[in-house]
Amino acid sequence: MLEQGLVSLINSNTAVQEICVNGGYLVELPPNQVLPSWTHTTISEPQEYLLDGTPSAPTMRRWQVDSYAQTADVCIKLSAAIANALAGFRGRLSDPDSTGICGIFADNLVDFFDSAARTYRRCADYRVFYVR
């Protein structure tokens, strides 16, 4: 499964490990999660077809990674470490399907601050091109 492989790719990165012990949760952080940490979600995955009705390859998924921390600088460092882990990756992921990645490209970046929790979040979007 693509998500499992991408999470493993990020969590196995040394720079990410130095900042974040636990991360890679789907959509939201678990209750009382120690920060810094990160989540992921699929934004879209439009399927394109050839004129004969067969799906074209590769498939493109917009994938969002949110980095969370109690300070802005740690949040930015975690997001950058994740970006470096993903940037330019091509090859097979370590998921059970050995998903083939053609390329991963940064797409968008947005910063947030949660006043109630007093935490920072950086939302980074990526375009992941892969072969099913």
Side-chain angles (χ1 to χ4, degrees), residues 50-93:
L50 302 175
L51 291 176
D52 67 359
T54 59
S56 65
T59 299
M60 188 277 297
R61 178 179 292 192
R62 284 192 60 221
W63 197 56
Q64 178 177 305
V65 177
D66 289 345
S67 301
Y68 298 85
Q70 297 196 313
T71 63
D73 62 325
V74 172
C75 185
I76 291 167
K77 285 179 186 175
L78 176 57
S79 182
I82 291 170
N84 288 334
L86 295 173
F89 178 83
R90 286 195 288 174
R92 296 271 171 203
L93 294 175

Side-chain angles (χ1 to χ4, degrees), residues 94-111:
S94 64
D95 62 296
D97 299 327
S98 294
T99 304
I101 299 295
C102 303
I104 302 173
F105 305 95
D107 187 46
N108 195 28
L109 199 62
V110 182
D111 290 319

Side-chain angles (χ1 to χ4, degrees), residues 21 36 49 53 76 91 127:
V21 177
Y49 294 89
I76 291 167
R127 291 184 185 270

Side-chain angles (χ1 to χ4, degrees), residues 7-29:
V7 168
S8 178
L9 176 66
I10 293 169
N11 282 334
S12 66
N13 181 277
T14 305
V16 173
Q17 291 173 358
E18 289 175 2
I19 301 167
C20 174
V21 177
N22 294 312
Y25 301 101
L26 181 62
V27 182
E28 66 182 11
L29 293 172

Side-chain angles (χ1 to χ4, degrees), residues 2 5 7 17 22 35 41 43-44 86 96 104 108 112 124 128 132:
L2 176 65
V7 168
Q17 291 173 358
N22 294 312
L35 299 182
T41 189
I43 298 171
S44 65
L86 295 173
I104 302 173
N108 195 28
F112 298 93
V128 179
R132 294 175 187 249

